[in-house]
Amino acid sequence: MAIFSVYVVNKAGGLIYQYDNYVPRAEAEKTFSYPLDLVLKIHDEKVVVSFGQRDGIRVGHALLSINGLDVNGKFTADGKEIIEYLKNSTNYPLSIRFGRARLSSNEKLMLASMFHSCELFDQNLKGALEIADKAGNFGPGS
């Protein structure tokens, strides 16, 4: 069994420590000609595939690099907007790499908060079940 991430959350729900053992999964690189047959959109400051799965490229995969140069969110390495860059036919053919993007700091905080909420729910449920067990059976025939 592998450990992919470690989150340490305090009793108030704050994220104290987080470690990612990041191993990129299922990255796909493909050369495209104009027009691009995938539909891309900006989601959470990243360019992601919204329609058109093919050749290992899945809906939700983020655009990671263009022609071997890593992208920075929704901008190319030289500061141009990716969506505008891909609309220009003179930039083709392009080699584009897609894959799962790393979680942002905000997404890690939301995930830690969700763990905390689930733990609180679990504690409350255990307490309620113990009280119900001590009280005995309720219902027909009791």
Side-chain angles (χ1 to χ4, degrees), residues 4-123:
F4 295 105
S5 297
V6 175
Y7 291 86
V8 178
V9 181
N10 65 14
K11 286 186 177 184
L15 180 62
I16 296 173
Y17 178 77
Q18 178 273 325
Y19 173 76
D20 272 334
N21 186 14
Y22 181 72
V23 178
R25 298 185 229 154
E27 290 186 354
E29 188 163 356
K30 184 151 178 59
T31 302
F32 293 92
S33 59
Y34 187 82
L36 193 63
D37 57 349
L38 299 171
V39 178
L40 304 176
K41 69 176 182 176
I42 297 174
H43 179 69
D44 290 336
E45 298 298 316
K46 296 175 234 169
V47 178
V48 297
V49 178
S50 64
F51 183 79
Q53 297 188 143
R54 65 177 267 201
D55 301 326
I57 301 167
R58 303 280 179 247
V59 170
H61 277 188
L63 194 145
L64 302 175
S65 72
I66 298 175
N67 292 333
L69 300 173
D70 289 340
V71 299
N72 301 317
K74 58 182 181 177
F75 297 99
T76 62
D78 54 349
K80 298 176 185 170
E81 280 201 35
I82 293 172
I83 300 294
E84 296 302 318
Y85 184 80
L86 295 175
K87 288 180 182 176
N88 189 348
S89 63
T90 60
N91 295 325
Y92 286 84
L94 290 174
S95 176
I96 304 176
R97 185 168 47 100
F98 293 93
R100 289 188 140 164
R102 290 182 146 197
L103 293 176
S104 70
S105 298
N106 192 39
E107 291 168 330
K108 291 175 186 176
L109 287 171
M110 288 188 302
L111 186 59
S113 174
M114 186 176 62
F115 290 147
H116 182 258
S117 299
C118 291
E119 177 64 23
L120 286 178
F121 178 75
D122 184 50
Q123 289 175 359

